[in-house]
Structure formats: structure tokens, C-alpha cells
Amino acid sequence: MNTVTIPTRIQLAARELMALDNAEGARIECVSGELWVTTEGGAGDLIVAAGERLELKEAPRAFISALRSAQFVVTPADSRSPVRRLAARCAAKCYDLYRRWQHAPVAAMPVVWLR
């Protein structure tokens, strides 16, 4: 399993398979050969020929196989690493909980007390 954090050129032999973790938003550009791409939770498989691009949306993991010897470039969704994305989500969740906690006592008071 691989997680790509920078644009990476990968070469696969015919019928070779690789798994791409944290694939959400990643872009696959086939330079030569043909790729067979399937995503975890996806409805179907996709064939990407030389010169074509594919953007993986809402795909936590993708499996890429070469139908023929292929070379392709994987570009991550953004320049942030998966750890930074996780940290950003955790910080947003903590801030949201703090905001809710800060106003919860007021929301629990009976309306007559607030007049």
C-alpha cells in the first residue's frame, strides 16, 4: 500500500497491481500503456489509456493494475500530507466542540430566566 504526498511517476509491468491509500482527490495521468483503476466503494472499474487523466473523487483507496506495461504520474489532491489533513480535521472538531460547550449552559436555561 502506498500513500503519495508529492507528484510521483510510477511504472508497472503488465498485470502488476498496486494499492493507493488516501486516494481521495488524487489525479492519475497515464503516460504510456493502459491502466485498470478500481476504487474502494466505487460503482465500477475504469480504463485509463495513454494521454488520459482520471481524478479520484470520494475514494479512500484505489487499486491500479497495468493491462499492458504502463507508466503513470500520481498527483495528490493538495500539497498537505495526510497527517496535516487529519490534524486540520481534529482542530476543526475541537473548535466546534468548544463553541458548543461555551454556549450550552445558556441553551439549557429556561426562557423565563433569560428575560
Side-chain angles (χ1 to χ4, degrees):
M1 290 183 261
N2 296 311
T3 300
V4 176
T5 57
I6 59 172
T8 306
R9 184 178 289 257
I10 300 170
Q11 185 161 357
L12 295 177
R15 300 175 60 136
E16 189 176 358
L17 175 71
M18 74 169 282
L20 184 64
D21 287 334
N22 299 315
E24 187 172 344
R27 188 175 70 223
I28 297 173
E29 182 177 352
C30 186
V31 177
S32 65
E34 279 186 318
L35 301 171
W36 180 7
V37 181
T38 186
T39 57
E40 191 172 88
D45 300 341
L46 301 164
I47 305 293
V48 182
E52 294 180 346
R53 292 183 191 168
L54 171 65
E55 187 171 335
L56 302 172
K57 297 179 183 172
E58 314 245 342
R61 181 181 292 165
F63 300 96
I64 304 167
S65 178
L67 296 174
R68 297 182 301 188
S69 182
Q71 191 173 40
F72 61 99
V73 177
V74 178
T75 307
D78 55 14
S79 59
R80 296 186 308 176
S81 70
V83 173
R84 287 182 184 250
R85 284 193 302 248
L86 179 63
R89 280 192 302 218
C90 289
K93 181 73 173 171
C94 288
Y95 179 71
D96 184 51
L97 289 172
Y98 168 73
R99 278 189 16 245
R100 289 173 191 238
W101 170 80
Q102 188 177 19
H103 299 292
V106 175
M109 289 183 181
V111 175
V112 265
W113 288 6
L114 298 175
R115 291 185 186 170

